[in-house]
Amino acid sequence: MPLLAIGDVVRVRSDKVLGTVAGVAAHRSGNVVDVQLNGNTLRPVRPADIELVARAVKPMTTGRALATLLFLLLGIAAAVANGHYLRDLGANWVTVGFVAFTSVISVAGGLINAFNRPRRVRV
């Protein structure tokens, strides 16, 4: 079963009804996924009876946009620091450029994935 987040669109295999994930509940017989159907009705479904149709994407808020910009600036700062350090060691410009580029990608990408990704739960 793939990881699920609240808002993901799923299909119940038994009767092919579509709904969105509203949450995960612990039950005596195991975990169940609460699927919100038409009319705001909740239906508990076993995870094995669900197939993922589409992932939920949160709209970009001002806070998330500022956090992404901050993470990008931290990546650029790391790239400049690494580039200066390598240049002082006598590295050529190709190596300095490669290390600076990978520094931006790894630092900014890692921070964005760590803090701005949707929370997914294995059921």
Side-chain angles (χ1 to χ4, degrees):
M1 182 67 208
L3 298 175
L4 293 175
I6 293 176
D8 287 347
V9 179
V10 294
R11 179 182 297 129
V12 180
R13 288 189 179 134
S14 61
D15 55 0
K16 304 294 184 201
V17 66
L18 287 175
T20 58
V21 175
V24 178
H27 196 264
R28 287 177 293 203
S29 61
N31 290 340
V32 293
V33 178
D34 289 329
V35 178
Q36 184 175 1
L37 306 174
N38 269 346
N40 292 331
T41 59
L42 289 178
R43 176 178 170 186
V45 181
R46 292 182 313 152
D49 294 337
I50 291 177
E51 59 186 35
L52 184 65
V53 175
R55 293 276 185 207
V57 178
K58 291 182 180 178
M60 183 65 79
T61 62
T62 305
R64 288 182 70 197
L66 289 175
T68 302
L69 180 63
L70 175 68
F71 297 152
L72 184 62
L73 291 176
L74 287 174
I76 291 171
V80 169
N82 288 335
H84 279 294
Y85 181 71
L86 277 178
R87 195 66 193 146
D88 290 342
L89 289 177
N92 61 8
W93 287 107
V94 174
T95 305
V96 171
F98 177 74
V99 168
F101 177 73
T102 55
S103 295
V104 169
I105 297 300
S106 61
V107 171
L111 288 171
I112 289 169
N113 283 334
F115 292 103
N116 279 351
R117 67 176 180 197
R119 303 299 179 229
R120 305 216 182 274
V121 181
R122 183 172 303 280
V123 291

